[in-house]
Amino acid sequence: LLEAEKPCSMLLLGRPGVGKTTVVREIARVLADELHKRVVIVDTSNEIGGDGDIPHPAIGNARRMQVPDPSKQHNVMVEAVENHMPEVVIIDEIGTEAEALACRTIAERGVMLVGTAHGQVIENLMKNPTLSDLIGGIQTVTLSDDEARNRGTQKSVQERKAPPTFPVLIEMRERTKWITHWVQESTDALLQGAQPFVQVRTRDAKSFKVIMETRLYDTSDEASDDGKVYKSVKGNAVKSFDNSRKGPAELPTDFSGPPTGGFEWAERIRDISEKDALQQLAEQGVLGKQQKQNGRRPQTRQRYNVSSVNNGGRNGKSGNSRRD
């Protein structure tokens, strides 16, 4: 982030209590003390620098600006840029539209931002009209007949409205598992129904080593009880995604059907798309076996019309399927 040609802002996204404020407090100290940056903290609730007249030593040499009225936080944010010549502005708990607009004007002035917001996954921001401007905003556009035909979509589609305020977004799933997005690519891919590539960082519970891997993004990814990523995902972490392949991918030769206890295994296979897997399982009759065992059709994260896939997707019902 610091070696980029222009300041690259970063947003930490996570549920309450996952550790966002603790992380930005340490970021402020490292930037101010070790990297000698001019850091200003807009401390609305005094959670970062404390409520005393003297800031807490945990923020190092970073400056702190207290906010007398939480409803005026966006004014203090702009004041910090105009009067204190910061290189980095740190904001905790961005929650209103005025604060989101203040973040954009600060980013356009050449100042690096480090902020936090409540949410679990990047789709939460995409669907939140108050904070969607942090990732560029979402708008509905109408395509021409030729463009809609070339894309294979409906005429009305959703697209990103502007460059993101925060080019980098980190989903803090747990204290030991972070997922890093390059917001522009991730947002565009998700709006088109595709899966973007992300960087997943996990910390081993025994050796405390940080494991970094690049793989396809999935909102349903969960850590196991020991804090590690699924082994099946690790094995296919850095495989390239080839859109030029011809014909559907094949299931592994040693595949003997889904294990007992649900359909979660389908989300972890990364060398074959979920659509192709469901199609082949339907042809093999595995889906029917699951239906007999559980008394109902197995639930997946996204339903697919298998019949429309077999017909080449020409009956008009396969528009909701995720593209490879």
Side-chain angles (χ1 to χ4, degrees):
L1 297 180
L2 298 176
E3 295 176 354
E5 296 181 359
K6 60 181 181 179
C8 191
S9 301
M10 176 177 63
L11 181 67
L12 300 173
L13 186 69
R15 65 180 187 275
V18 78
K20 301 185 298 297
T21 303
T22 303
V23 171
V24 296
R25 185 186 297 118
E26 182 64 10
I27 288 176
R29 185 195 65 80
V30 172
L31 290 174
D33 290 359
E34 300 182 13
L35 300 179
H36 308 291
K37 298 287 184 179
R38 296 190 301 272
V39 181
V40 174
I41 302 172
V42 179
D43 201 358
T44 308
S45 57
N46 297 326
E47 290 186 73
I48 300 178
D51 59 354
D53 294 335
I54 300 177
H56 196 277
I59 66 173
N61 292 324
R63 302 179 186 178
R64 178 193 61 173
M65 292 188 65
Q66 293 178 302
V67 181
D69 186 356
S71 63
K72 298 180 179 179
Q73 175 173 326
H74 58 284
N75 293 329
V76 179
M77 292 165 56
V78 177
E79 179 187 348
V81 178
E82 294 177 346
N83 298 338
H84 293 271
M85 298 183 302
E87 293 178 287
V88 183
V89 173
I90 294 181
I91 309 150
D92 194 19
E93 305 296 351
I94 302 170
T96 65
E97 187 174 0
E99 294 168 6
L101 293 176
C103 288
R104 176 165 291 278
T105 186
I106 291 173
E108 295 296 338
R109 299 184 189 194
V111 179
M112 177 181 173
L113 283 168
V114 178
T116 67
H118 282 153
Q120 184 71 10
V121 294
I122 190 173
E123 285 95 331
N124 297 145
L125 288 183
M126 295 170 60
K127 297 176 181 178
N128 187 342
T130 303
L131 300 179
S132 62
D133 189 63
L134 298 177
I135 57 173
I138 308 297
Q139 65 179 357
T140 301
V141 299
T142 302
L143 305 176
S144 64
D145 294 338
D146 293 339
E147 182 66 18
R149 190 179 303 110
N150 292 335
R151 294 190 185 187
T153 61
Q154 300 176 350
K155 294 190 65 174
S156 296
V157 296
Q158 288 186 323
E159 291 186 351
R160 182 169 45 84
K161 183 165 49 177
T165 303
F166 293 89
V168 176
L169 182 145
I170 298 177
E171 294 179 5
M172 297 181 63
R173 296 289 183 87
E174 302 291 342
R175 293 180 184 271
T176 58
K177 180 180 180 181
W178 293 6
I179 299 177
T180 304
H181 291 269
W182 188 252
V183 175
Q184 183 169 322
E185 281 75 9
S186 292
T187 303
D188 292 345
L190 291 171
L191 288 175
Q192 295 173 7
Q195 288 178 298
F197 277 97
V198 296
Q199 184 188 78
V200 181
R201 297 192 181 195
T202 56
R203 188 176 65 222
D204 188 87
K206 297 181 180 179
S207 63
F208 299 103
K209 292 183 179 180
V210 177
I211 304 172
M212 293 186 294
E213 55 184 2
T214 302
R215 59 182 175 89
L216 286 173
Y217 174 68
D218 199 329
T219 56
S220 63
D221 285 342
E222 297 290 347
S224 58
D225 294 337
D226 58 358
K228 297 181 180 179
V229 182
Y230 292 118
K231 182 178 180 181
S232 59
V233 174
K234 279 186 177 180
N236 301 290
V238 197
K239 290 187 176 181
S240 60
F241 196 60
D242 186 9
N243 291 325
S244 62
R245 66 184 184 188
K246 297 182 179 179
E250 298 294 335
L251 288 170
T253 56
D254 58 347
F255 177 75
S256 60
T260 306
F263 218 56
E264 299 175 353
W265 62 274
E267 297 288 346
R268 306 177 194 169
I269 299 178
R270 284 296 169 260
D271 53 358
I272 178 175
S273 68
E274 185 180 357
K275 181 178 66 177
D276 292 339
L278 290 175
Q279 178 183 354
Q280 295 179 36
L281 290 175
E283 294 174 354
Q284 298 174 12
V286 178
L287 293 180
K289 296 179 182 179
Q290 286 289 99
Q291 187 174 4
K292 294 179 181 179
Q293 292 176 1
N294 302 333
R296 60 179 182 177
R297 183 180 182 274
Q299 298 295 313
T300 60
R301 188 172 62 87
Q302 184 174 2
R303 295 183 179 180
Y304 290 96
N305 191 326
V306 178
S307 60
S308 65
V309 175
N310 293 333
N311 293 332
R314 297 181 181 177
N315 57 357
K317 297 182 180 180
S318 59
N320 295 329
S321 299
R322 183 171 54 206
R323 298 193 307 174
D324 288 348

